[in-house]
Amino acid sequence: MHPNNPYFNNPPNFVALAQLYPSLAPLLSLKGSSGAETKGIINFQDPSALRELTYCLLKKDFSIDLNIPLDSLCPPIPNRLNYVCWIEDLLDNESTKEIHGIDIGTGASCIYPLLGCSRNKNWRMVATDIDDRSISFAESNVKRNHLDNVIKIIKNSSTDTFPAILFKDREQRYDFCMCNPPFYKDEQDIQDSLEGKEGQPSAICKGTTNEMITTGGEAQFVKQMVDESIIHGQRIRWYTSMLGKRGTIDTVIAYLKEKKILNYTLTTFRQGRTSRWAIAWSYGNAHASRVCLPAIFYFYSP
Ligand SMILES: C[S@@+](CC[C@H](N)C(=O)[O-])C[C@H]1O[C@@H](n2cnc3c(N)ncnc32)[C@H](O)[C@@H]1O
């Protein structure tokens, strides 16, 4: 886990959380003797329990009030925070100027902008999605948390990963973009993953088709981001994406090299039994510092 992640060395105490939020109590089973010995167990395969836990953690630790449909992707908060903390590292804790970011595929939760802008008062984010229902929930999540002055939701009706509207203002520059792309290329790909062939998460990872599936899977999605980044160049300082499958790392790095993009860096987010990765590349002279090493020093053993 990222050392700046609030849950680093301080995992959530489910029993205390259920005392604070009684809505969580019926979804918790208690183990062990009474008092401090009692452990609360959440069934991570139960979408209702997972969603309630997400709501309670966001409320308690970030004063964020979330509302998402039960069948949409429920964001595991410690994992989403890891990505936000890594972006903060890439930006080298710049806190004196406004930071402009893009979240590609924000989902119903709009989780990255909500966390990013709650933690960093100087962040301004534009969040895109292709899905009407997700757009509508994302908008209402932004409004109910009074963050509509710093987060803007945009429907992407194009087949691009960076719709033209992001660059409508010719002067507009962004400090970063982030993305958690749909991982899978089809239903079979999801099935293979569930059978433990690759990257199986410890919690249920159900989502709608739009959230889970994209033509060619995440590798194709990130390659498209790379292609479009060549056009937009330095208008975005750091292009980044999360990768959900170990096998995608080599594909994306090989593609960056093929396109002669050598200023890139990679990180791993480990959360319980689940690993995720994130890749960042830049056309400027930005270099990753602190916990993330410049790519030339990065040593990856599969
Ligand atoms: C895996 S979900 C991520 C949701 C959320 N960001 C999270 O991390 O929980 C991927 C999202 O990308 C959206 N999406 C797929 N293709 C897209 C595109 N070309 N532009 C914007 N969003 C896209 C999907 O509708 C879905 O909401």
PDB file of all heavy atoms in Angstrom, residues 73-76 80 103-112 128-131 134 156 158-161 163 180-183 210-214 221 224 242, ligand 1:
ATOM      1  N   LEU A  73     -20.003  -0.968 -10.579  1.00  0.00           N
ATOM      2  CA  LEU A  73     -18.716  -1.285  -9.960  1.00  0.00           C
ATOM      3  C   LEU A  73     -18.584  -0.526  -8.637  1.00  0.00           C
ATOM      4  O   LEU A  73     -18.730   0.689  -8.596  1.00  0.00           O
ATOM      5  CB  LEU A  73     -17.607  -0.854 -10.923  1.00  0.00           C
ATOM      6  CG  LEU A  73     -16.191  -1.281 -10.596  1.00  0.00           C
ATOM      7  CD1 LEU A  73     -16.057  -2.791 -10.531  1.00  0.00           C
ATOM      8  CD2 LEU A  73     -15.233  -0.719 -11.625  1.00  0.00           C
ATOM      9  N   CYS A  74     -18.303  -1.285  -7.570  1.00  0.00           N
ATOM     10  CA  CYS A  74     -18.176  -0.644  -6.257  1.00  0.00           C
ATOM     11  C   CYS A  74     -16.685  -0.433  -5.973  1.00  0.00           C
ATOM     12  O   CYS A  74     -15.925  -1.398  -5.882  1.00  0.00           O
ATOM     13  CB  CYS A  74     -18.817  -1.558  -5.210  1.00  0.00           C
ATOM     14  SG  CYS A  74     -18.785  -0.823  -3.588  1.00  0.00           S
ATOM     15  N   PRO A  75     -16.255   0.813  -5.874  1.00  0.00           N
ATOM     16  CA  PRO A  75     -14.804   1.054  -5.787  1.00  0.00           C
ATOM     17  C   PRO A  75     -14.226   0.695  -4.411  1.00  0.00           C
ATOM     18  O   PRO A  75     -14.694   1.218  -3.402  1.00  0.00           O
ATOM     19  CB  PRO A  75     -14.693   2.570  -6.011  1.00  0.00           C
ATOM     20  CG  PRO A  75     -16.022   3.122  -5.624  1.00  0.00           C
ATOM     21  CD  PRO A  75     -17.047   2.059  -5.865  1.00  0.00           C
ATOM     22  N   PRO A  76     -13.236  -0.207  -4.372  1.00  0.00           N
ATOM     23  CA  PRO A  76     -12.565  -0.476  -3.092  1.00  0.00           C
ATOM     24  C   PRO A  76     -11.707   0.739  -2.716  1.00  0.00           C
ATOM     25  O   PRO A  76     -10.798   1.122  -3.460  1.00  0.00           O
ATOM     26  CB  PRO A  76     -11.687  -1.702  -3.380  1.00  0.00           C
ATOM     27  CG  PRO A  76     -11.810  -1.988  -4.836  1.00  0.00           C
ATOM     28  CD  PRO A  76     -12.637  -0.945  -5.493  1.00  0.00           C
ATOM     29  N   ARG A  80      -8.365   2.598  -4.553  1.00  0.00           N
ATOM     30  CA  ARG A  80      -8.514   3.842  -5.316  1.00  0.00           C
ATOM     31  C   ARG A  80      -7.610   4.934  -4.746  1.00  0.00           C
ATOM     32  O   ARG A  80      -7.064   5.768  -5.464  1.00  0.00           O
ATOM     33  CB  ARG A  80      -9.974   4.309  -5.308  1.00  0.00           C
ATOM     34  CG  ARG A  80     -10.959   3.335  -5.968  1.00  0.00           C
ATOM     35  CD  ARG A  80     -10.572   3.028  -7.410  1.00  0.00           C
ATOM     36  NE  ARG A  80     -11.605   2.314  -8.143  1.00  0.00           N
ATOM     37  CZ  ARG A  80     -11.647   1.004  -8.338  1.00  0.00           C
ATOM     38  NH1 ARG A  80     -10.685   0.233  -7.861  1.00  0.00           N
ATOM     39  NH2 ARG A  80     -12.621   0.442  -9.056  1.00  0.00           N
ATOM     40  N   ASP A 103     -10.240  12.501 -15.394  1.00  0.00           N
ATOM     41  CA  ASP A 103     -10.495  11.102 -15.056  1.00  0.00           C
ATOM     42  C   ASP A 103     -11.258  10.488 -16.217  1.00  0.00           C
ATOM     43  O   ASP A 103     -12.411  10.862 -16.478  1.00  0.00           O
ATOM     44  CB  ASP A 103     -11.309  11.017 -13.756  1.00  0.00           C
ATOM     45  CG  ASP A 103     -11.635   9.569 -13.385  1.00  0.00           C
ATOM     46  OD1 ASP A 103     -10.856   8.664 -13.776  1.00  0.00           O
ATOM     47  OD2 ASP A 103     -12.646   9.349 -12.687  1.00  0.00           O
ATOM     48  N   ILE A 104     -10.631   9.562 -16.928  1.00  0.00           N
ATOM     49  CA  ILE A 104     -11.275   8.932 -18.087  1.00  0.00           C
ATOM     50  C   ILE A 104     -12.059   7.718 -17.610  1.00  0.00           C
ATOM     51  O   ILE A 104     -11.475   6.781 -17.058  1.00  0.00           O
ATOM     52  CB  ILE A 104     -10.220   8.505 -19.129  1.00  0.00           C
ATOM     53  CG1 ILE A 104      -9.423   9.717 -19.604  1.00  0.00           C
ATOM     54  CG2 ILE A 104     -10.863   7.789 -20.303  1.00  0.00           C
ATOM     55  CD1 ILE A 104      -8.222   9.354 -20.455  1.00  0.00           C
ATOM     56  N   GLY A 105     -13.371   7.723 -17.793  1.00  0.00           N
ATOM     57  CA  GLY A 105     -14.208   6.604 -17.349  1.00  0.00           C
ATOM     58  C   GLY A 105     -14.440   6.662 -15.850  1.00  0.00           C
ATOM     59  O   GLY A 105     -14.039   5.776 -15.098  1.00  0.00           O
ATOM     60  N   THR A 106     -15.139   7.687 -15.424  1.00  0.00           N
ATOM     61  CA  THR A 106     -15.254   7.957 -13.986  1.00  0.00           C
ATOM     62  C   THR A 106     -16.234   7.026 -13.279  1.00  0.00           C
ATOM     63  O   THR A 106     -16.157   6.839 -12.061  1.00  0.00           O
ATOM     64  CB  THR A 106     -15.640   9.440 -13.783  1.00  0.00           C
ATOM     65  OG1 THR A 106     -15.304   9.823 -12.477  1.00  0.00           O
ATOM     66  CG2 THR A 106     -17.122   9.719 -14.062  1.00  0.00           C
ATOM     67  N   GLY A 107     -17.152   6.423 -14.057  1.00  0.00           N
ATOM     68  CA  GLY A 107     -18.115   5.503 -13.460  1.00  0.00           C
ATOM     69  C   GLY A 107     -19.202   6.232 -12.676  1.00  0.00           C
ATOM     70  O   GLY A 107     -19.182   7.460 -12.535  1.00  0.00           O
ATOM     71  N   ALA A 108     -20.140   5.465 -12.128  1.00  0.00           N
ATOM     72  CA  ALA A 108     -21.240   6.051 -11.351  1.00  0.00           C
ATOM     73  C   ALA A 108     -20.718   6.709 -10.080  1.00  0.00           C
ATOM     74  O   ALA A 108     -21.268   7.690  -9.603  1.00  0.00           O
ATOM     75  CB  ALA A 108     -22.249   4.958 -11.002  1.00  0.00           C
ATOM     76  N   SER A 109     -19.625   6.171  -9.545  1.00  0.00           N
ATOM     77  CA  SER A 109     -19.116   6.667  -8.252  1.00  0.00           C
ATOM     78  C   SER A 109     -18.344   7.972  -8.383  1.00  0.00           C
ATOM     79  O   SER A 109     -18.279   8.732  -7.430  1.00  0.00           O
ATOM     80  CB  SER A 109     -18.189   5.621  -7.628  1.00  0.00           C
ATOM     81  OG  SER A 109     -17.046   5.424  -8.445  1.00  0.00           O
ATOM     82  N   CYS A 110     -17.738   8.208  -9.546  1.00  0.00           N
ATOM     83  CA  CYS A 110     -16.875   9.386  -9.737  1.00  0.00           C
ATOM     84  C   CYS A 110     -15.783   9.385  -8.644  1.00  0.00           C
ATOM     85  O   CYS A 110     -15.358  10.432  -8.151  1.00  0.00           O
ATOM     86  CB  CYS A 110     -17.718  10.656  -9.665  1.00  0.00           C
ATOM     87  SG  CYS A 110     -16.904  12.142 -10.243  1.00  0.00           S
ATOM     88  N   ILE A 111     -15.315   8.192  -8.327  1.00  0.00           N
ATOM     89  CA  ILE A 111     -14.512   8.032  -7.118  1.00  0.00           C
ATOM     90  C   ILE A 111     -13.175   8.789  -7.153  1.00  0.00           C
ATOM     91  O   ILE A 111     -12.782   9.395  -6.141  1.00  0.00           O
ATOM     92  CB  ILE A 111     -14.279   6.533  -6.776  1.00  0.00           C
ATOM     93  CG1 ILE A 111     -13.688   6.378  -5.392  1.00  0.00           C
ATOM     94  CG2 ILE A 111     -13.443   5.801  -7.816  1.00  0.00           C
ATOM     95  CD1 ILE A 111     -14.606   6.781  -4.275  1.00  0.00           C
ATOM     96  N   TYR A 112     -12.488   8.764  -8.285  1.00  0.00           N
ATOM     97  CA  TYR A 112     -11.169   9.434  -8.290  1.00  0.00           C
ATOM     98  C   TYR A 112     -11.288  10.949  -8.110  1.00  0.00           C
ATOM     99  O   TYR A 112     -10.581  11.514  -7.275  1.00  0.00           O
ATOM    100  CB  TYR A 112     -10.384   9.086  -9.564  1.00  0.00           C
ATOM    101  CG  TYR A 112      -9.896   7.652  -9.576  1.00  0.00           C
ATOM    102  CD1 TYR A 112     -10.216   6.791 -10.615  1.00  0.00           C
ATOM    103  CD2 TYR A 112      -9.121   7.155  -8.533  1.00  0.00           C
ATOM    104  CE1 TYR A 112      -9.776   5.469 -10.618  1.00  0.00           C
ATOM    105  CE2 TYR A 112      -8.678   5.840  -8.519  1.00  0.00           C
ATOM    106  CZ  TYR A 112      -9.013   5.010  -9.574  1.00  0.00           C
ATOM    107  OH  TYR A 112      -8.574   3.711  -9.560  1.00  0.00           O
ATOM    108  N   THR A 128     -14.909  12.000 -17.404  1.00  0.00           N
ATOM    109  CA  THR A 128     -15.683  11.588 -18.579  1.00  0.00           C
ATOM    110  C   THR A 128     -16.249  10.186 -18.385  1.00  0.00           C
ATOM    111  O   THR A 128     -15.733   9.400 -17.601  1.00  0.00           O
ATOM    112  CB  THR A 128     -14.804  11.562 -19.856  1.00  0.00           C
ATOM    113  OG1 THR A 128     -13.903  10.444 -19.771  1.00  0.00           O
ATOM    114  CG2 THR A 128     -14.024  12.844 -20.028  1.00  0.00           C
ATOM    115  N   ASP A 129     -17.292   9.907 -19.118  1.00  0.00           N
ATOM    116  CA  ASP A 129     -17.774   8.524 -19.251  1.00  0.00           C
ATOM    117  C   ASP A 129     -18.631   8.434 -20.503  1.00  0.00           C
ATOM    118  O   ASP A 129     -19.097   9.444 -21.012  1.00  0.00           O
ATOM    119  CB  ASP A 129     -18.560   8.065 -18.017  1.00  0.00           C
ATOM    120  CG  ASP A 129     -18.406   6.560 -17.793  1.00  0.00           C
ATOM    121  OD1 ASP A 129     -18.974   5.777 -18.595  1.00  0.00           O
ATOM    122  OD2 ASP A 129     -17.691   6.151 -16.862  1.00  0.00           O
ATOM    123  N   ILE A 130     -18.802   7.182 -20.969  1.00  0.00           N
ATOM    124  CA  ILE A 130     -19.630   6.985 -22.168  1.00  0.00           C
ATOM    125  C   ILE A 130     -21.043   6.552 -21.795  1.00  0.00           C
ATOM    126  O   ILE A 130     -21.923   6.500 -22.638  1.00  0.00           O
ATOM    127  CB  ILE A 130     -19.016   5.901 -23.092  1.00  0.00           C
ATOM    128  CG1 ILE A 130     -18.737   4.621 -22.302  1.00  0.00           C
ATOM    129  CG2 ILE A 130     -17.765   6.405 -23.775  1.00  0.00           C
ATOM    130  CD1 ILE A 130     -18.408   3.423 -23.179  1.00  0.00           C
ATOM    131  N   ASP A 131     -21.236   6.221 -20.536  1.00  0.00           N
ATOM    132  CA  ASP A 131     -22.470   5.581 -20.103  1.00  0.00           C
ATOM    133  C   ASP A 131     -23.420   6.592 -19.458  1.00  0.00           C
ATOM    134  O   ASP A 131     -23.058   7.259 -18.477  1.00  0.00           O
ATOM    135  CB  ASP A 131     -22.092   4.489 -19.095  1.00  0.00           C
ATOM    136  CG  ASP A 131     -23.286   3.695 -18.638  1.00  0.00           C
ATOM    137  OD1 ASP A 131     -23.650   2.735 -19.340  1.00  0.00           O
ATOM    138  OD2 ASP A 131     -23.869   4.048 -17.589  1.00  0.00           O
ATOM    139  N   SER A 134     -24.170   6.150 -15.679  1.00  0.00           N
ATOM    140  CA  SER A 134     -23.002   6.496 -14.852  1.00  0.00           C
ATOM    141  C   SER A 134     -22.823   8.005 -14.781  1.00  0.00           C
ATOM    142  O   SER A 134     -22.520   8.562 -13.722  1.00  0.00           O
ATOM    143  CB  SER A 134     -21.726   5.851 -15.417  1.00  0.00           C
ATOM    144  OG  SER A 134     -21.791   4.465 -15.246  1.00  0.00           O
ATOM    145  N   ASN A 156     -18.807  11.438 -22.870  1.00  0.00           N
ATOM    146  CA  ASN A 156     -17.976  11.219 -24.054  1.00  0.00           C
ATOM    147  C   ASN A 156     -18.815  10.440 -25.070  1.00  0.00           C
ATOM    148  O   ASN A 156     -19.048   9.240 -24.910  1.00  0.00           O
ATOM    149  CB  ASN A 156     -16.714  10.424 -23.674  1.00  0.00           C
ATOM    150  CG  ASN A 156     -15.840  10.143 -24.886  1.00  0.00           C
ATOM    151  OD1 ASN A 156     -16.130  10.616 -25.993  1.00  0.00           O
ATOM    152  ND2 ASN A 156     -14.780   9.369 -24.701  1.00  0.00           N
ATOM    153  N   SER A 158     -17.972  10.194 -28.211  1.00  0.00           N
ATOM    154  CA  SER A 158     -17.096   9.807 -29.318  1.00  0.00           C
ATOM    155  C   SER A 158     -16.475   8.440 -29.034  1.00  0.00           C
ATOM    156  O   SER A 158     -16.694   7.852 -27.989  1.00  0.00           O
ATOM    157  CB  SER A 158     -15.976  10.845 -29.467  1.00  0.00           C
ATOM    158  OG  SER A 158     -15.040  10.687 -28.406  1.00  0.00           O
ATOM    159  N   THR A 159     -15.666   7.967 -29.973  1.00  0.00           N
ATOM    160  CA  THR A 159     -14.951   6.707 -29.731  1.00  0.00           C
ATOM    161  C   THR A 159     -13.537   6.995 -29.225  1.00  0.00           C
ATOM    162  O   THR A 159     -12.730   6.091 -29.047  1.00  0.00           O
ATOM    163  CB  THR A 159     -14.874   5.866 -31.025  1.00  0.00           C
ATOM    164  OG1 THR A 159     -14.332   6.712 -32.045  1.00  0.00           O
ATOM    165  CG2 THR A 159     -16.228   5.347 -31.445  1.00  0.00           C
ATOM    166  N   ASP A 160     -13.240   8.263 -28.996  1.00  0.00           N
ATOM    167  CA  ASP A 160     -11.906   8.645 -28.503  1.00  0.00           C
ATOM    168  C   ASP A 160     -11.801   8.392 -27.000  1.00  0.00           C
ATOM    169  O   ASP A 160     -12.793   8.344 -26.294  1.00  0.00           O
ATOM    170  CB  ASP A 160     -11.661  10.143 -28.734  1.00  0.00           C
ATOM    171  CG  ASP A 160     -11.637  10.488 -30.207  1.00  0.00           C
ATOM    172  OD1 ASP A 160     -11.420   9.569 -31.029  1.00  0.00           O
ATOM    173  OD2 ASP A 160     -11.854  11.676 -30.535  1.00  0.00           O
ATOM    174  N   THR A 161     -10.577   8.281 -26.525  1.00  0.00           N
ATOM    175  CA  THR A 161     -10.399   8.231 -25.067  1.00  0.00           C
ATOM    176  C   THR A 161     -10.296   9.666 -24.524  1.00  0.00           C
ATOM    177  O   THR A 161     -10.659   9.928 -23.390  1.00  0.00           O
ATOM    178  CB  THR A 161      -9.150   7.414 -24.673  1.00  0.00           C
ATOM    179  OG1 THR A 161      -8.018   7.925 -25.363  1.00  0.00           O
ATOM    180  CG2 THR A 161      -9.332   5.945 -25.002  1.00  0.00           C
ATOM    181  N   PRO A 163     -11.936  12.941 -25.576  1.00  0.00           N
ATOM    182  CA  PRO A 163     -12.851  13.631 -26.495  1.00  0.00           C
ATOM    183  C   PRO A 163     -12.397  15.072 -26.739  1.00  0.00           C
ATOM    184  O   PRO A 163     -11.813  15.705 -25.848  1.00  0.00           O
ATOM    185  CB  PRO A 163     -14.194  13.581 -25.757  1.00  0.00           C
ATOM    186  CG  PRO A 163     -13.872  13.289 -24.330  1.00  0.00           C
ATOM    187  CD  PRO A 163     -12.570  12.561 -24.304  1.00  0.00           C
ATOM    188  N   ASN A 180      -9.125   4.200 -15.041  1.00  0.00           N
ATOM    189  CA  ASN A 180      -9.245   2.787 -14.674  1.00  0.00           C
ATOM    190  C   ASN A 180     -10.078   2.171 -15.781  1.00  0.00           C
ATOM    191  O   ASN A 180     -11.307   2.175 -15.714  1.00  0.00           O
ATOM    192  CB  ASN A 180      -9.923   2.655 -13.300  1.00  0.00           C
ATOM    193  CG  ASN A 180     -10.177   1.206 -12.924  1.00  0.00           C
ATOM    194  OD1 ASN A 180      -9.644   0.290 -13.555  1.00  0.00           O
ATOM    195  ND2 ASN A 180     -11.003   0.990 -11.914  1.00  0.00           N
ATOM    196  N   PRO A 181      -9.424   1.665 -16.830  1.00  0.00           N
ATOM    197  CA  PRO A 181     -10.203   1.239 -18.004  1.00  0.00           C
ATOM    198  C   PRO A 181     -10.944  -0.068 -17.742  1.00  0.00           C
ATOM    199  O   PRO A 181     -10.589  -0.800 -16.823  1.00  0.00           O
ATOM    200  CB  PRO A 181      -9.105   1.001 -19.057  1.00  0.00           C
ATOM    201  CG  PRO A 181      -7.867   0.732 -18.297  1.00  0.00           C
ATOM    202  CD  PRO A 181      -7.990   1.435 -16.976  1.00  0.00           C
ATOM    203  N   PRO A 182     -11.989  -0.346 -18.562  1.00  0.00           N
ATOM    204  CA  PRO A 182     -12.590  -1.680 -18.464  1.00  0.00           C
ATOM    205  C   PRO A 182     -11.477  -2.707 -18.745  1.00  0.00           C
ATOM    206  O   PRO A 182     -10.709  -2.545 -19.691  1.00  0.00           O
ATOM    207  CB  PRO A 182     -13.631  -1.668 -19.589  1.00  0.00           C
ATOM    208  CG  PRO A 182     -13.874  -0.209 -19.887  1.00  0.00           C
ATOM    209  CD  PRO A 182     -12.578   0.473 -19.626  1.00  0.00           C
ATOM    210  N   PHE A 183     -11.383  -3.729 -17.890  1.00  0.00           N
ATOM    211  CA  PHE A 183     -10.253  -4.668 -18.016  1.00  0.00           C
ATOM    212  C   PHE A 183     -10.393  -5.644 -19.188  1.00  0.00           C
ATOM    213  O   PHE A 183      -9.422  -6.021 -19.816  1.00  0.00           O
ATOM    214  CB  PHE A 183     -10.177  -5.558 -16.767  1.00  0.00           C
ATOM    215  CG  PHE A 183      -9.730  -4.862 -15.509  1.00  0.00           C
ATOM    216  CD1 PHE A 183      -9.826  -5.520 -14.291  1.00  0.00           C
ATOM    217  CD2 PHE A 183      -9.193  -3.587 -15.523  1.00  0.00           C
ATOM    218  CE1 PHE A 183      -9.430  -4.920 -13.105  1.00  0.00           C
ATOM    219  CE2 PHE A 183      -8.794  -2.974 -14.353  1.00  0.00           C
ATOM    220  CZ  PHE A 183      -8.915  -3.647 -13.141  1.00  0.00           C
ATOM    221  N   ASN A 210     -20.492  -2.060 -19.707  1.00  0.00           N
ATOM    222  CA  ASN A 210     -19.652  -0.903 -20.067  1.00  0.00           C
ATOM    223  C   ASN A 210     -18.467  -0.752 -19.121  1.00  0.00           C
ATOM    224  O   ASN A 210     -17.385  -0.334 -19.520  1.00  0.00           O
ATOM    225  CB  ASN A 210     -20.472   0.390 -19.990  1.00  0.00           C
ATOM    226  CG  ASN A 210     -21.017   0.789 -21.334  1.00  0.00           C
ATOM    227  OD1 ASN A 210     -20.642   0.207 -22.350  1.00  0.00           O
ATOM    228  ND2 ASN A 210     -21.899   1.780 -21.353  1.00  0.00           N
ATOM    229  N   GLU A 211     -18.708  -1.074 -17.838  1.00  0.00           N
ATOM    230  CA  GLU A 211     -17.649  -0.899 -16.845  1.00  0.00           C
ATOM    231  C   GLU A 211     -16.574  -1.968 -16.971  1.00  0.00           C
ATOM    232  O   GLU A 211     -15.412  -1.732 -16.670  1.00  0.00           O
ATOM    233  CB  GLU A 211     -18.243  -0.935 -15.432  1.00  0.00           C
ATOM    234  CG  GLU A 211     -19.025   0.327 -15.093  1.00  0.00           C
ATOM    235  CD  GLU A 211     -19.798   0.196 -13.792  1.00  0.00           C
ATOM    236  OE1 GLU A 211     -20.262  -0.900 -13.460  1.00  0.00           O
ATOM    237  OE2 GLU A 211     -19.949   1.215 -13.113  1.00  0.00           O
ATOM    238  N   MET A 212     -16.992  -3.162 -17.394  1.00  0.00           N
ATOM    239  CA  MET A 212     -16.068  -4.295 -17.364  1.00  0.00           C
ATOM    240  C   MET A 212     -15.440  -4.623 -18.720  1.00  0.00           C
ATOM    241  O   MET A 212     -14.339  -5.146 -18.772  1.00  0.00           O
ATOM    242  CB  MET A 212     -16.809  -5.560 -16.860  1.00  0.00           C
ATOM    243  CG  MET A 212     -17.511  -5.380 -15.520  1.00  0.00           C
ATOM    244  SD  MET A 212     -16.407  -4.835 -14.236  1.00  0.00           S
ATOM    245  CE  MET A 212     -15.702  -6.380 -13.746  1.00  0.00           C
ATOM    246  N   ILE A 213     -16.179  -4.338 -19.816  1.00  0.00           N
ATOM    247  CA  ILE A 213     -15.749  -4.843 -21.129  1.00  0.00           C
ATOM    248  C   ILE A 213     -15.502  -3.706 -22.116  1.00  0.00           C
ATOM    249  O   ILE A 213     -16.285  -2.759 -22.197  1.00  0.00           O
ATOM    250  CB  ILE A 213     -16.820  -5.817 -21.696  1.00  0.00           C
ATOM    251  CG1 ILE A 213     -16.905  -7.069 -20.796  1.00  0.00           C
ATOM    252  CG2 ILE A 213     -16.510  -6.217 -23.124  1.00  0.00           C
ATOM    253  CD1 ILE A 213     -18.008  -8.039 -21.154  1.00  0.00           C
ATOM    254  N   THR A 214     -14.394  -3.811 -22.859  1.00  0.00           N
ATOM    255  CA  THR A 214     -14.126  -2.871 -23.957  1.00  0.00           C
ATOM    256  C   THR A 214     -13.442  -3.660 -25.072  1.00  0.00           C
ATOM    257  O   THR A 214     -12.704  -4.625 -24.791  1.00  0.00           O
ATOM    258  CB  THR A 214     -13.239  -1.690 -23.481  1.00  0.00           C
ATOM    259  OG1 THR A 214     -13.092  -0.763 -24.546  1.00  0.00           O
ATOM    260  CG2 THR A 214     -11.868  -2.125 -23.012  1.00  0.00           C
ATOM    261  N   PHE A 221      -7.281  -0.450 -24.982  1.00  0.00           N
ATOM    262  CA  PHE A 221      -7.748   0.862 -24.495  1.00  0.00           C
ATOM    263  C   PHE A 221      -6.544   1.768 -24.199  1.00  0.00           C
ATOM    264  O   PHE A 221      -6.494   2.929 -24.616  1.00  0.00           O
ATOM    265  CB  PHE A 221      -8.596   0.663 -23.220  1.00  0.00           C
ATOM    266  CG  PHE A 221      -9.428   1.861 -22.858  1.00  0.00           C
ATOM    267  CD1 PHE A 221     -10.753   1.951 -23.269  1.00  0.00           C
ATOM    268  CD2 PHE A 221      -8.901   2.909 -22.110  1.00  0.00           C
ATOM    269  CE1 PHE A 221     -11.542   3.062 -22.935  1.00  0.00           C
ATOM    270  CE2 PHE A 221      -9.672   4.011 -21.769  1.00  0.00           C
ATOM    271  CZ  PHE A 221     -10.993   4.091 -22.184  1.00  0.00           C
ATOM    272  N   GLN A 224      -4.748   2.862 -27.266  1.00  0.00           N
ATOM    273  CA  GLN A 224      -5.455   3.988 -27.898  1.00  0.00           C
ATOM    274  C   GLN A 224      -5.131   5.295 -27.177  1.00  0.00           C
ATOM    275  O   GLN A 224      -4.928   6.337 -27.819  1.00  0.00           O
ATOM    276  CB  GLN A 224      -6.975   3.731 -27.890  1.00  0.00           C
ATOM    277  CG  GLN A 224      -7.729   4.795 -28.675  1.00  0.00           C
ATOM    278  CD  GLN A 224      -9.236   4.594 -28.697  1.00  0.00           C
ATOM    279  OE1 GLN A 224      -9.739   3.477 -28.502  1.00  0.00           O
ATOM    280  NE2 GLN A 224      -9.972   5.659 -28.946  1.00  0.00           N
ATOM    281  N   MET A 242      -4.398   2.949 -14.936  1.00  0.00           N
ATOM    282  CA  MET A 242      -4.262   1.750 -14.132  1.00  0.00           C
ATOM    283  C   MET A 242      -4.311   0.540 -15.070  1.00  0.00           C
ATOM    284  O   MET A 242      -4.940   0.601 -16.125  1.00  0.00           O
ATOM    285  CB  MET A 242      -5.401   1.666 -13.110  1.00  0.00           C
ATOM    286  CG  MET A 242      -5.254   0.529 -12.150  1.00  0.00           C
ATOM    287  SD  MET A 242      -5.984   0.982 -10.567  1.00  0.00           S
ATOM    288  CE  MET A 242      -7.553   0.171 -10.739  1.00  0.00           C
TER     289      MET A 242
HETATM  290  C1  LIG B   1     -13.620  -0.061 -14.791  1.00  0.00           C
HETATM  291  S1  LIG B   1     -14.784   1.235 -14.885  1.00  0.00           S
HETATM  292  C2  LIG B   1     -14.019   2.433 -13.810  1.00  0.00           C
HETATM  293  C3  LIG B   1     -14.989   3.214 -12.986  1.00  0.00           C
HETATM  294  C4  LIG B   1     -14.341   4.093 -11.899  1.00  0.00           C
HETATM  295  N1  LIG B   1     -13.390   5.014 -12.473  1.00  0.00           N
HETATM  296  C5  LIG B   1     -13.650   3.243 -10.862  1.00  0.00           C
HETATM  297  O1  LIG B   1     -12.402   3.203 -10.868  1.00  0.00           O
HETATM  298  O2  LIG B   1     -14.316   2.599 -10.053  1.00  0.00           O
HETATM  299  C6  LIG B   1     -14.440   1.878 -16.504  1.00  0.00           C
HETATM  300  C7  LIG B   1     -15.349   3.030 -16.921  1.00  0.00           C
HETATM  301  O3  LIG B   1     -14.899   3.517 -18.184  1.00  0.00           O
HETATM  302  C8  LIG B   1     -16.031   3.896 -18.949  1.00  0.00           C
HETATM  303  N2  LIG B   1     -15.585   3.985 -20.362  1.00  0.00           N
HETATM  304  C9  LIG B   1     -15.378   3.005 -21.267  1.00  0.00           C
HETATM  305  N3  LIG B   1     -14.901   3.517 -22.414  1.00  0.00           N
HETATM  306  C10 LIG B   1     -14.784   4.859 -22.241  1.00  0.00           C
HETATM  307  C11 LIG B   1     -14.347   5.957 -23.052  1.00  0.00           C
HETATM  308  N4  LIG B   1     -13.929   5.785 -24.311  1.00  0.00           N
HETATM  309  N5  LIG B   1     -14.366   7.204 -22.520  1.00  0.00           N
HETATM  310  C12 LIG B   1     -14.792   7.408 -21.247  1.00  0.00           C
HETATM  311  N6  LIG B   1     -15.220   6.404 -20.441  1.00  0.00           N
HETATM  312  C13 LIG B   1     -15.208   5.160 -20.922  1.00  0.00           C
HETATM  313  C14 LIG B   1     -17.070   2.862 -18.611  1.00  0.00           C
HETATM  314  O4  LIG B   1     -18.387   3.282 -18.896  1.00  0.00           O
HETATM  315  C15 LIG B   1     -16.809   2.670 -17.097  1.00  0.00           C
HETATM  316  O5  LIG B   1     -17.579   3.549 -16.326  1.00  0.00           O
END
